[in-house]
Amino acid sequence: MATDLGELLVPYMPTIRVPRTGDRVFKSECAFSYDSPESEGGLYVCMNSFLGFGREHVERHYRKTGQSVYMHLKRHVKEKATGAAGGAIPRRRNGKVFLDLELNRDFNGDGYEYEDEAKLVIFPDHFEIPLPNIEELPALVTIACDAVLNAPSPYKKQESDSWEEEIQVSRHARSLRQQENGVRIPPSGWKCAKCEMRENVWLNLTDGSVLCGKWFFDGSGGNGHALEHYKETNFPLAVKLDTINPDGADVYSFDEEETVLDPHISEHLLHFGIDMLQMQRTESGHHTDNHVQPRVSDWEVIQEAGLKLKPVYGSGYTGIKNLGNSCYLSTTMQVLFSIPEFQRAYVGNLQRIFDYSPLDPTQDFNTQMAKLGRGLLSGQYSKPPMKSELIEQVMKEEYKQQRGISPKMFKALVSKGHPEFSSNRQQDAHEFLLHLINLVERNSSGSENPSDVFRFLVEERVQCCQTQNVRYSQRVDYLMQLPVPLEAASNREELIAYESKRKEAEENMQPPPEPVRARIPFTACLQAFTEPENVPDFWSSALQAKSAGVKTSRFASFPEYMVVQIKKFTFGLDWVPKKLDVSVDIPDFLDLNRLRATGLQAGEEELPDLTPPIVIPEDTRDSTTNNSLESPEIDESSVMQLAEMGFPLEACRKAVYYTGNMGAEMAFNWIIAHMEEPDFAEPLAVPTYMEPDLPSPSLPSTSALDSQPPEESISILTSMGFPRHHTIQALKATNNNLERALDWIFTHPDCEDESEAMSDTADTEPNDNSFSNANAHSDSSLSPDQDLSSPRVRDGPGRYELFAFISHMGASTMSGHYVCHMKKEGRWLIYNDHKVCLSERPPKDLGYMYFYRRLSSC
């Protein structure tokens, strides 16, 4: 028999691999579904790629790859016989623990036992070889099977290799010398001191400089001024301002070129007025969904605790297991897959997406979105109990909850490379929604983009207070953020009385009184949204000087789905993050038509299209002049990596230069694309371009919309094969940020054809401006692909009906728990992790993000 098995496996031996260090073995979840060894058909693990497949999908993988040998894993769950010995350790067949799986909550007790079964299956004949079979199988096959059976979970490996546990203490942390320059950092309103970027800003821990970082893959970033500051000063450590929390902050060492730990971060931040110790006393420091409860009543009301909620089952009623602070992801995805456009884009195209998925579908965004959507909508993982079980539940008035699906594979993919979402900490559901929309945008090229249902245009009107001249611009946004005017509370007298009692109790060292929640009318939030706001550092082109300016915002278009975020989270003056304890009377029906933009009105005079003067500090003019004569800055480490591959040194230098020092991988792609050119190995010739020290009054004035990006940046992008007119458009749309411009080109391929008919300098349409960094005094706004007639903006009436909302419980976005309520078939439901039930009292007034759908025209 041993000879027979050996001969049978001989043709397949070259395809059977032993897992090496770094290989991920998926033996608990299918790549295309949520089938597992506990499913009826078990799980098939490819003995070459180590991917897992349910019975429904293993044939597809065999046809696509020709891989014939799979390990079939099956876990049998059954109740213990009456009188059987108890114990927490389940009995397993063959006496070997070869399925390192999480125990199912429904069967995790003394009343159940497990029998694990493994066998090799050879396709297409489905010939089965039971395991273990050491004596009869070839040695290589035995070793491979044993390695697969004992391989750790790929997610456990990811967690142990996560950035949180790899981070080392910086060698500069202990000896860091901070300057006594009196710098104090406010709790909000940060911007780069050199380019006024308001996102991805970093605080240098030596001198307190606030400067922008470099671009991130998720679309955020800056112009690299923090790195430039380090090169000028050698001040090594910087902290990202919006990451400071009771447990620490993201610290980067420019000298060590990596994220580091700073054990003295609280002292270093206190030097600039940021009291983390006070923050630690205010926060509990726990980051699990069930520990941080600033007020029990919030948790009870939002989760509808104390009510006997009836579970529901079937299509659209599948819960999502909590992986530990993953509820921000679960609630967001539940709402998104209740929207027909998302259902159609992923579940409707499921077979096409699966058939054309890459060899590793676990790393394909569209595949994992389709998998999640089908898991939530199929009803396959939300089946009602058997009739006998149901009768028993009704008699006991205890309803058994469904198991739900585990989003481990999905979370690992969408959070990959992101410093926040890849951690196990609680996150902001609002930020995750924008992050996911960014991923949808990136992966929808040439196909339907379901996130367009949220996309709308905002018209910003900026007025110079001295001349009364105005400027209109447009930008893209995906949600409406409503401020919370506490002064408009309907129970203001009650709040004043509570504050008085609280102070009195504090002075007398007595217990504080019962908190009073502010009740804010929704109309007051809407009014606060429409109020004019001051424009910081406004430069009036009419006066050609800084002046007072005000900005108002209106809707230039209305999306099909309007997301309304109540801005409940803020920072106190002591840098303690806090959540406003408010109740807002959210309407079921919303009419925003009165906020429709009107454009330039009769009698209004527009501000001249003049570029603000370029002010160069005196102490940097000499160095700027000298630097312009020096050789270009090139990352020599990337050059050497490429040179070691055998490419000519000068070609490597050109590749690194023309890809903007973005790393060896990007430069390698440039080499592959240009290695056939005749001047491939010629020395680098830096393009020349005009860079006047100061604008001359004798030169004709140019508007910000018509001004050319730096020729050097244009040359870098065109050298990568992109059309000149497309690169100019991308640079204008991203404030001349090279990395973000490159990303913009990839995410706006449809702009290339439209831009061919446009002159390089006659860009009369306003440019796209990042919705997260839209400065009120910026002249750039809307790109041609975002014209009102474009399908990317689905304009229509501004009348909406509420169909879902996400609520948060906890003191800040760094802790607590999220649940969502959705209205389906005329009834409200609550989605609380894996539990899906009919809602008895949906707490609409305590929500955080509200989702409205456009009402059909009457």
Side-chain angles (χ1 to χ4, degrees):
M1 180 67 180
T3 305
D4 294 341
L5 286 180
E7 292 178 355
L8 176 68
L9 290 170
V10 165
Y12 310 107
M13 292 293 287
T15 66
I16 298 176
R17 292 200 306 117
V18 178
R20 299 188 297 266
T21 302
D23 284 337
R24 298 179 302 163
V25 179
F26 293 90
K27 59 180 182 179
S28 62
E29 181 181 353
C30 171
F32 294 103
S33 70
Y34 292 93
D35 288 345
S36 71
E38 292 181 7
S39 301
E40 182 179 352
L43 191 74
Y44 294 82
V45 179
C46 174
M47 292 301 292
N48 183 268
S49 65
F50 311 117
L51 295 171
F53 302 97
R55 185 166 59 187
E56 179 184 357
H57 302 284
V58 64
E59 291 280 359
R60 176 192 291 108
H61 187 259
Y62 162 69
R63 292 192 304 268
K64 192 171 185 177
T65 64
Q67 174 62 29
S68 300
V69 183
Y70 296 82
M71 180 182 292
H72 181 253
L73 304 175
K74 183 72 176 80
R75 167 168 287 180
H76 303 274
V77 183
K78 57 185 180 181
E79 293 187 37
K80 289 182 179 179
T82 305
I89 302 177
R91 178 171 62 86
R92 303 175 187 270
R93 183 177 297 173
N94 298 326
K96 184 168 182 178
V97 182
F98 53 73
L99 291 189
D100 181 20
L101 308 174
E102 293 182 359
L103 294 180
N104 190 313
R105 289 184 184 179
D106 295 342
F107 310 118
N108 187 10
D110 293 340
Y112 297 90
E113 63 182 3
Y114 301 84
E115 289 186 354
D116 293 342
E117 179 183 4
K119 54 191 174 185
L120 286 181
V121 180
I122 302 177
F123 281 70
D125 299 326
H126 291 264
F127 185 85
E128 298 181 355
I129 303 174
L131 296 175
N133 207 336
I134 300 176
E135 296 179 355
E136 301 179 2
L137 293 176
L140 175 65
V141 178
T142 300
I143 294 172
C145 291
D146 191 61
V148 169
L149 291 172
N150 291 282
S153 164
Y155 308 111
K156 288 182 179 179
K157 185 178 187 306
Q158 182 184 26
E159 291 166 7
S160 65
D161 290 345
S162 70
W163 67 275
E164 291 182 288
E165 298 188 20
E166 284 184 351
I167 298 176
Q168 303 296 320
V169 174
S170 171
R171 63 172 178 264
H172 301 288
R174 182 183 299 273
S175 60
L176 186 71
R177 301 184 64 179
Q178 297 181 279
Q179 295 181 357
E180 297 291 342
N181 52 13
V183 172
R184 290 294 179 269
I185 306 300
S188 60
W190 320 297
K191 63 180 179 180
C192 175
K194 292 188 177 181
C195 69
E196 300 190 349
M197 288 286 293
R198 295 178 181 272
E199 61 177 6
N200 190 29
V201 287
W202 294 73
L203 169 69
N204 189 288
L205 290 176
T206 299
D207 63 356
S209 298
V210 177
L211 299 161
C212 63
K214 294 201 71 174
W215 174 84
F216 288 142
F217 88 99
D218 65 346
S220 62
N223 296 314
H225 288 133
L227 177 60
E228 291 180 7
H229 183 67
Y230 161 71
K231 293 178 179 179
E232 296 170 359
T233 63
N234 287 325
F235 297 156
L237 299 183
V239 58
K240 191 177 182 185
L241 283 172
D242 60 359
T243 64
I244 299 173
N245 62 67
D247 293 332
D250 292 351
V251 181
Y252 187 81
S253 172
F254 296 107
D255 177 51
E256 296 158 281
E257 297 184 344
E258 62 180 350
T259 301
V260 296
L261 290 177
D262 179 2
H264 309 285
I265 184 64
S266 60
E267 301 172 17
H268 293 156
L269 289 174
L270 187 61
H271 182 83
F272 299 111
I274 305 172
D275 191 352
M276 284 185 62
L277 297 180
Q278 178 64 31
M279 293 170 67
Q280 186 66 43
R281 288 194 294 269
T282 302
E283 295 279 0
S284 68
H286 296 289
H287 290 287
T288 58
D289 287 348
N290 300 315
H291 286 79
V292 183
Q293 300 189 20
R295 192 156 116 165
V296 176
S297 60
D298 282 355
W299 291 70
E300 291 178 345
V301 172
I302 293 176
Q303 296 187 104
E304 304 186 54
L307 300 176
K308 295 179 179 179
L309 303 179
K310 182 181 178 180
V312 289
Y313 306 91
S315 175
Y317 302 123
T318 303
I320 301 178
K321 293 179 182 178
N322 196 325
L323 306 178
N325 291 320
S326 64
C327 51
Y328 67 90
L329 177 149
S330 302
T331 52
T332 302
M333 300 313 300
Q334 289 281 15
V335 174
L336 290 184
F337 275 111
S338 71
I339 296 174
E341 285 77 5
F342 277 84
Q343 297 174 1
R344 183 170 60 249
Y346 296 107
V347 183
N349 292 318
L350 182 134
Q351 287 303 324
R352 181 183 61 82
I353 293 174
F354 283 1
D355 288 342
Y356 289 95
S357 63
L359 292 179
D360 186 358
T362 67
Q363 298 301 303
D364 183 61
F365 177 78
N366 290 333
T367 299
Q368 294 308 310
M369 282 287 283
K371 169 185 170 179
L372 179 62
R374 184 174 186 270
L376 294 176
L377 300 175
S378 66
Q380 182 178 350
Y381 307 99
S382 177
K383 296 180 179 180
M386 302 295 290
K387 186 175 181 180
S388 58
E389 296 177 343
L390 185 61
I391 294 174
E392 182 180 354
Q393 292 177 24
V394 172
M395 295 294 293
K396 293 182 179 181
E397 295 186 347
E398 294 179 357
Y399 293 105
K400 181 180 177 182
Q401 299 292 343
Q402 60 173 274
R403 295 171 54 183
I405 58 178
S406 173
K408 280 188 173 182
M409 192 175 292
F410 180 77
K411 182 179 185 297
L413 177 63
V414 299
S415 64
K416 185 178 180 180
H418 195 287
E420 292 299 326
F421 300 131
S422 61
S423 73
N424 289 324
R425 298 194 300 267
Q426 186 61 279
Q427 303 298 332
D428 189 347
H430 153 247
E431 293 181 359
F432 179 75
L433 173 63
L434 296 181
H435 172 69
L436 192 85
I437 288 176
N438 195 357
L439 292 177
V440 172
E441 292 262 358
R442 290 168 180 268
N443 291 276
S444 297
S445 178
S447 60
E448 178 185 7
N449 187 342
S451 66
D452 284 349
V453 298
F454 300 123
R455 186 183 178 98
F456 62 92
L457 301 177
V458 176
E459 178 186 271
E460 292 187 340
R461 176 184 182 272
V462 179
Q463 183 173 36
C464 173
C465 294
Q466 288 186 250
T467 65
Q468 303 303 309
N469 289 7
V470 297
R471 175 182 297 117
Y472 286 87
S473 61
Q474 291 182 344
R475 61 178 174 85
V476 175
D477 215 331
Y478 290 88
L479 55 81
M480 179 185 187
Q481 294 182 303
L482 289 184
V484 180
L486 294 175
E487 65 278 3
S490 59
N491 59 338
R492 188 174 181 182
E493 291 77 11
E494 189 178 358
L495 292 169
I496 294 174
Y498 160 74
E499 187 63 23
S500 177
K501 292 179 181 178
R502 187 192 64 79
K503 290 182 178 179
E504 182 179 350
E506 185 176 330
E507 292 174 356
N508 298 328
M509 301 184 68
Q510 295 178 348
E514 182 69 21
V516 175
R517 178 177 291 121
R519 295 192 294 270
I520 311 296
F522 180 80
T523 52
C525 298
L526 206 57
Q527 182 63 32
F529 172 80
T530 62
E531 290 292 328
E533 58 179 293
N534 293 326
V535 180
D537 298 326
F538 175 69
W539 186 84
S540 172
S541 57
L543 300 173
Q544 297 193 36
K546 284 192 175 183
S547 172
V550 293
K551 180 188 73 173
T552 54
S553 300
R554 294 292 186 270
F555 291 93
S557 70
F558 289 113
E560 290 191 23
Y561 289 82
M562 177 64 75
V563 184
V564 178
Q565 178 203 13
I566 305 298
K567 298 173 68 174
K568 290 186 174 183
F569 297 102
T570 184
F571 281 94
L573 294 178
D574 53 0
W575 265 85
V576 178
K578 64 179 182 179
K579 176 182 174 183
L580 300 178
D581 188 12
V582 296
S583 167
V584 181
D585 59 337
I586 299 295
D588 288 317
F589 297 92
L590 182 61
D591 191 343
L592 299 175
N593 280 313
R594 67 183 184 87
L595 300 182
R596 169 78 73 170
T598 58
L600 186 67
Q601 297 296 292
E604 290 184 332
E605 185 176 349
E606 288 190 274
L607 286 163
D609 284 333
L610 298 178
T611 305
I614 302 173
V615 180
I616 301 179
E618 293 290 342
D619 56 350
T620 62
R621 290 186 184 180
D622 293 338
S623 61
T624 302
T625 303
N626 294 334
N627 289 340
S628 64
L629 300 176
E630 296 175 358
S631 59
E633 178 183 331
I634 295 178
D635 183 1
E636 293 297 337
S637 61
S638 297
V639 172
M640 295 310 299
Q641 289 183 51
L642 297 171
E644 289 173 359
M645 299 180 187
F647 298 114
L649 181 61
E650 288 299 332
C652 298
R653 290 176 58 81
K654 287 202 296 187
V656 173
Y657 173 79
Y658 283 125
T659 54
N661 291 309
M662 292 170 64
E665 183 177 356
M666 186 69 74
F668 176 79
N669 294 333
W670 186 95
I671 287 177
I672 298 301
H674 294 79
M675 62 190 311
E676 300 298 330
E677 296 177 359
D679 61 345
F680 175 68
E682 295 296 323
L684 172 65
V686 182
T688 59
Y689 60 97
M690 297 300 295
E691 186 179 3
D693 292 333
L694 289 171
S696 172
S698 62
L699 296 175
S701 62
T702 58
S703 68
L705 292 177
D706 294 334
S707 59
Q708 284 287 93
E711 189 64 31
E712 181 183 20
S713 299
I714 297 174
S715 299
I716 290 175
L717 293 178
T718 54
S719 69
M720 298 170 69
F722 301 112
R724 179 180 173 84
H725 45 261
H726 203 188
T727 61
I728 291 175
Q729 188 179 354
L731 288 165
K732 288 184 177 181
T734 55
N735 197 24
N736 295 332
N737 184 302
L738 191 61
E739 291 88 345
R740 292 175 61 195
L742 183 62
D743 176 64
W744 190 95
I745 290 174
F746 286 119
T747 55
H748 295 75
D750 52 327
C751 298
E752 182 173 348
D753 295 336
E754 297 181 26
S755 61
E756 286 180 357
M758 301 172 62
S759 168
D760 287 350
T761 58
D763 181 14
T764 56
E765 295 286 343
N767 295 327
D768 181 17
N769 196 4
S770 173
F771 60 80
S772 62
N773 187 43
N775 294 328
H777 54 283
S778 174
D779 288 317
S780 60
S781 49
L782 176 67
S783 62
D785 71 311
Q786 295 151 5
D787 187 80
L788 288 175
S789 61
S790 168
R792 300 229 47 204
V793 175
R794 306 178 183 184
D795 195 14
R799 297 181 64 247
Y800 298 92
E801 180 182 7
L802 180 69
F803 76 94
F805 62 94
I806 294 175
S807 306
H808 175 266
M809 297 154 281
S812 77
T813 55
M814 298 174 295
S815 60
H817 183 55
Y818 287 96
V819 301
C820 73
H821 287 74
M822 281 192 283
K823 191 176 184 180
K824 294 184 176 181
E825 301 177 345
R827 57 184 185 176
W828 282 97
L829 301 106
I830 178 173
Y831 291 74
N832 188 357
D833 293 336
H834 64 284
K835 297 174 289 186
V836 182
C837 303
L838 290 175
S839 173
E840 298 287 341
R841 302 170 189 168
K844 301 175 187 175
D845 60 324
L846 297 180
Y848 174 46
M849 282 199 301
Y850 296 86
F851 296 79
Y852 286 84
R853 66 165 61 94
R854 180 184 290 148
L855 288 171
S856 302
S857 301
C858 298

